[in-house]
Amino acid sequence: LSSPDEIQTAIHAMNDGTVDRFLIKPVGEHQMRDSVADAFLHKELADENRQLNLTIRSANHELASSNRQLQEVLGRQQRLIDDTELNLSVVRDALECIPMPVLGLDDRGTVAFANAEAQSLLGTNTDLLGCDSVVALPELAAAVRVLYEGQSGRVTLEGADYRIQWRHMGQQSVSSGKLLTLRLDEQAVLP
């Protein structure tokens, strides 16, 4: 650059980012070589930055897509959980409405469910849920122990005879344990 107008133009070009640097005449060979090497290095770094920027944008797009897919899966899972909870609530309400005592025992013999009829018959003043059936309901536990699945037996509770039956839970679900039903033995009541 030799004239003041050229210097002013060069300064504007540097401010705009169009020009990285300018050399003022006379330029030595060493200075020219360093400037050209710096320009190539600058170009390589700019190209590498562009490539990294593209890689980052691509990764961000993939991540956003994966997040959308995960949100969809989580949404479906939440709907399934909500539906299952609703179904469980309906089943629990249905069991509550059965006009006979129904008990659910887990694998350890702990009372996991007692409908209102069972609670009324067996609970006296105690909530049966969480009780060990052998301790809280010894006559019932003894009667269940000697019966095979589906076999009907008899037990006397609160002065009345009941027919008792049990079935394994978990054959069509993930639950386990036994479901017990008690029916007032009509034959024992007849004169």
Side-chain angles (χ1 to χ4, degrees):
L1 297 174
S2 52
S3 74
D5 288 339
E6 289 177 332
I7 292 174
Q8 193 63 31
T9 303
I11 290 172
H12 285 298
M14 284 188 71
N15 287 338
D16 291 345
T18 315
V19 173
D20 180 43
R21 71 176 62 175
F22 63 92
L23 302 172
I24 299 173
K25 294 179 187 176
V27 179
E29 182 181 330
H30 180 64
Q31 187 181 12
M32 180 66 82
R33 202 172 289 160
D34 287 349
S35 293
V36 170
D38 286 348
F40 276 111
L41 180 59
H42 182 75
K43 169 77 168 105
E44 280 180 34
L45 290 175
D47 289 347
E48 188 176 332
N49 281 342
R50 273 191 293 280
Q51 186 59 42
L52 288 173
N53 193 16
L54 287 173
T55 302
I56 289 171
R57 272 197 246 152
S58 175
N60 282 339
H61 286 294
E62 288 176 23
L63 185 58
S65 175
S66 294
N67 280 339
R68 279 191 300 277
Q69 290 173 355
L70 182 58
Q71 288 297 340
E72 289 172 11
V73 168
L74 290 175
R76 285 192 300 269
Q77 290 296 334
Q78 187 59 51
R79 285 189 296 280
L80 181 62
I81 289 168
D82 292 345
D83 290 348
T84 301
E85 286 177 357
L86 179 62
N87 291 341
L88 287 174
S89 178
V90 168
V91 168
R92 184 170 289 276
D93 288 348
L95 287 171
E96 281 294 337
C97 293
I98 293 175
M100 70 170 58
V102 178
L103 285 170
L105 304 179
D106 68 12
D107 289 331
R108 296 180 310 264
T110 302
V111 178
F113 174 80
N115 72 353
E117 292 283 330
Q119 186 64 46
S120 175
L121 174 66
L122 305 168
T124 57
N125 297 325
T126 308
D127 186 10
L128 292 173
L129 290 181
C131 291
D132 183 342
S133 62
V134 173
V135 175
L137 310 165
E139 302 89 6
L140 191 63
V144 169
R145 236 187 336 268
V146 298
L147 292 175
Y148 293 106
E149 180 176 12
Q151 183 183 18
S152 182
R154 182 176 283 154
V155 65
T156 301
L157 301 167
E158 302 294 321
D161 287 334
Y162 287 87
R163 304 295 286 169
I164 182 173
Q165 260 189 328
W166 68 269
R167 300 259 185 226
H168 273 293
M169 293 186 288
Q171 294 168 341
Q172 298 171 346
S173 69
V174 294
S175 61
S176 62
K178 296 176 181 174
L179 184 67
L180 284 68
T181 56
L182 297 161
R183 271 183 296 124
L184 191 58
D185 191 346
E186 304 283 333
Q187 295 172 349
V189 177
L190 295 176

